[in-house]
Amino acid sequence: MSDWKLHTPNGVNDVLPQECAVKKEIENTIWTVFASFGYKEVETPSFEYYDCYSGERGQITQETLYKFFDEQGRILALRPDFTTSIARMAATKAAGETTPARYMYTGSVYRAEHTEGVRNREITQSGIELIGSYSAKADAEVIAAAMEAVTALGIEDFSMEIGQVGFFNGLVEQLGLDDDTTEKLRASIDSKNSPSIKNIVKNLDIADDVKQLMIDLPYLFGGADIIDRADVKGLNPTSKAALDNLREIYNLLTLYGFEKYISLDLGMLQSIDYYTGSIFKCYTHGVGFPIAAGGRYDNLMGGFGEAKGAVGCAMGINRIMQIYTGAPDSVASTLVVAENNADGLAYDLAYNLRVNGCLTEMYIGDGFDGAEEYAKKTNNTCILRVFADKKLIIYDLERDEAVETDTDTFMGYDDILAPEPEELTPQDMGFRQF
């Protein structure tokens, strides 16, 4: 039988120092970009009551939730996404805040993915939520912030695909389809299954232009011209309004200078019960999944309190790590070695280095030979060997040089203890006395 305590469960991993440094640098870069847009950081609980994610409020299926019980038998669930938790927070704890409210976050979400092969079940995300606006400017801001974060990470070759689920919802409304048929049609469009789409719409009593539009929908992607192609005769007001909204978002992002990154896709229909308007996904080479995704979710807030317009985006830190090339440089450190009875002096020296911004380790092994070997195996480029009589030998391992001095001189104590010069009178300094 395997000793399970030696292993991590499927889908979770340890993050070792060098990889953790890369992860933190990515998170810090994204944080800096989002903060520059005026977003304020919040934290939500790692687990919530199951009711928070039940029903149609969440985009994550109930089967993927990690569920457990509290001491009173109530069902709890680990957080599968941040958006739902922040919507609850905004509708309850922050209900009286001035809108639009801008929130950002970084943390882990947990999903019990049931797929072949290994998938991450603990996922780190950084994201933003803009709550309290129905304006297309809000959608454009969130998408622009995501693209600014991507470029700040040094990723220049990427595509931001933008869709509008309101367009499809309008078509379904116009066709009068039941829920089962709607889901079949959605799945067929999302998988670009033309025969299935034709089979669904062939007997519908609708205008030929609208019928052909449904068949062509999976292939309506590209530049701004697809909006004109989709605006066919006989389209209902809901779908027309969705196209107008998409056009406005596109025009704003073009004004912001992002046109070369944008691709419109009216066949993007995932999670239509969660999103209500714009949806978007950011792709780049080397990753088979979006590195950022989000959209508008105007119905979600109403499940917790007052309904408000909202749009958000989440960036997948684990996915970005797969292609991130701006790995942080290792910061060289100094190793302080205390000889017999010099521990206090050595600590004082190390403390002074640290308060001046130097990365400093204290050697806790035995013997200088061991310290030298340890320094060469780690990223210590300098050894400070401290003796009880305040003698100090500085070893520069990169230059293979050694300099002898004393701790008082090294820390500037000699300057501090030097006699004060005689006080000068105004006359000595050339000033007239009145």
Side-chain angles (χ1 to χ4, degrees):
M1 181 179 292
S2 298
D3 191 347
W4 293 112
K5 69 183 178 183
L6 302 179
H7 307 279
T8 58
N10 288 338
V12 296
N13 300 287
D14 298 311
V15 184
L16 298 178
Q18 189 58 35
E19 190 178 19
C20 197
V22 173
K23 185 170 184 280
K24 291 301 178 185
E25 181 163 290
I26 292 171
E27 292 172 4
N28 290 340
T29 300
I30 295 172
W31 188 97
T32 300
V33 172
F34 289 162
S36 73
F37 275 73
Y39 288 83
K40 305 296 190 298
E41 190 167 23
V42 295
E43 294 182 2
T44 61
S46 297
F47 56 89
E48 303 253 16
Y49 287 113
Y50 171 80
D51 297 6
C52 184
Y53 305 112
S54 63
E56 296 181 353
R57 291 181 183 147
Q59 64 173 324
I60 310 302
T61 62
Q62 303 307 304
E63 291 76 19
T64 63
L65 291 176
Y66 280 103
K67 298 180 282 289
F68 55 104
F69 298 94
D70 67 7
E71 64 278 6
Q72 294 178 314
R74 292 173 294 204
I75 305 176
L76 306 174
L78 286 178
R79 176 179 61 212
D81 75 340
F82 274 93
T83 300
T84 306
S85 293
I86 290 179
R88 179 213 29 91
M89 179 200 74
T92 54
K93 306 292 178 58
E97 283 196 4
T98 302
T99 57
R102 291 176 170 87
Y103 303 115
M104 66 178 176
Y105 59 84
T106 295
S108 293
V109 297
Y110 307 89
R111 300 173 187 172
E113 300 281 2
H114 300 289
T115 58
E116 294 182 8
V118 177
R119 290 277 298 274
N120 283 339
R121 295 182 173 184
E122 181 180 12
I123 305 157
T124 302
Q125 292 183 341
S126 289
I128 52 176
E129 310 293 342
L130 200 165
I131 293 173
S133 174
Y134 293 94
S135 170
K137 291 181 180 180
D139 302 68
E141 177 183 305
V142 170
I143 297 171
M147 289 193 283
E148 291 278 13
V150 171
T151 56
L153 291 166
I155 303 170
E156 292 290 342
D157 189 8
F158 69 90
S159 172
M160 179 65 78
E161 299 183 3
I162 307 173
Q164 232 294 356
V165 296
F167 178 72
F168 176 78
N169 290 340
L171 290 175
V172 169
E173 174 188 312
Q174 186 172 355
L175 300 177
L177 302 179
D178 58 43
D179 290 344
D180 288 342
T181 305
T182 297
E183 177 54 28
K184 288 178 183 177
L185 182 59
R186 184 208 64 80
S188 298
I189 292 172
D190 204 45
S191 62
K192 302 191 186 312
N193 187 343
S194 295
S196 176
I197 299 170
K198 290 178 181 177
N199 187 55
I200 294 171
V201 304
K202 66 180 180 180
N203 295 321
L204 295 177
D205 184 19
I206 55 175
D208 289 341
D209 286 346
V210 177
K211 186 178 294 188
Q212 188 60 48
L213 175 63
M214 295 296 293
I215 296 170
D216 294 340
L217 198 55
Y219 310 102
L220 287 178
F221 56 86
D225 61 297
I226 73 155
I227 298 176
D228 296 327
R229 288 171 54 194
D231 194 4
V232 300
K233 184 179 179 181
L235 208 59
N236 78 342
T238 302
S239 293
K240 280 185 173 291
L243 290 179
D244 290 340
N245 173 261
L246 185 59
R247 193 192 310 274
E248 186 175 358
I249 294 170
Y250 178 85
N251 288 340
L252 285 167
L253 292 171
T254 298
L255 290 173
Y256 299 164
F258 293 109
E259 183 178 5
K260 69 177 182 178
Y261 299 113
I262 300 171
S263 175
L264 302 182
D265 186 357
L266 288 174
M268 186 193 304
L269 298 176
Q270 290 182 332
S271 304
I272 60 171
D273 59 336
Y274 181 78
Y275 293 115
T276 59
S278 68
I279 53 174
F280 52 88
K281 297 178 182 179
C282 183
Y283 292 92
T284 189
H285 294 296
V287 185
F289 298 92
I291 59 173
R296 176 166 286 279
Y297 51 94
D298 292 340
N299 294 337
L300 186 59
M301 293 284 293
F304 301 101
E306 181 185 355
K308 293 180 181 178
V311 58
C313 171
M315 303 190 67
I317 304 300
N318 308 81
R319 293 173 182 175
I320 294 172
M321 288 175 67
Q322 297 175 31
I323 45 89
Y324 184 64
T325 57
D329 295 329
S330 293
V331 179
S333 59
T334 296
L335 185 66
V336 177
V337 181
E339 293 293 345
N340 290 336
N341 302 317
D343 294 276
L345 277 171
Y347 186 87
D348 191 27
L349 186 148
Y351 171 81
N352 277 272
L353 288 171
R354 289 170 183 148
V355 296
N356 282 284
C358 299
L359 182 60
T360 308
E361 288 187 51
M362 289 283 289
Y363 183 64
I364 57 176
D366 296 321
F368 182 74
D369 289 342
E372 195 170 18
E373 183 179 356
Y374 173 81
K376 290 176 180 178
K377 289 181 178 180
T378 57
N379 201 35
N380 288 285
T381 57
C382 182
I383 302 176
L384 303 184
R385 189 178 185 184
V386 186
F387 295 83
D389 61 358
K390 296 189 177 182
K391 183 174 79 170
L392 173 65
I393 303 178
I394 304 170
Y395 297 87
D396 186 330
L397 299 182
E398 291 186 327
R399 294 187 177 90
D400 195 22
E401 296 175 355
V403 176
E404 184 174 327
T405 181
D406 61 82
T407 56
D408 286 346
T409 300
F410 183 82
M411 291 188 285
Y413 288 170
D414 282 350
D415 294 336
I416 297 171
L417 299 175
E420 292 286 343
E422 290 185 18
E423 185 177 350
L424 298 176
T425 66
Q427 289 83 358
D428 293 328
M429 299 174 67
F431 291 98
R432 288 181 61 190
Q433 189 171 18
F434 292 96

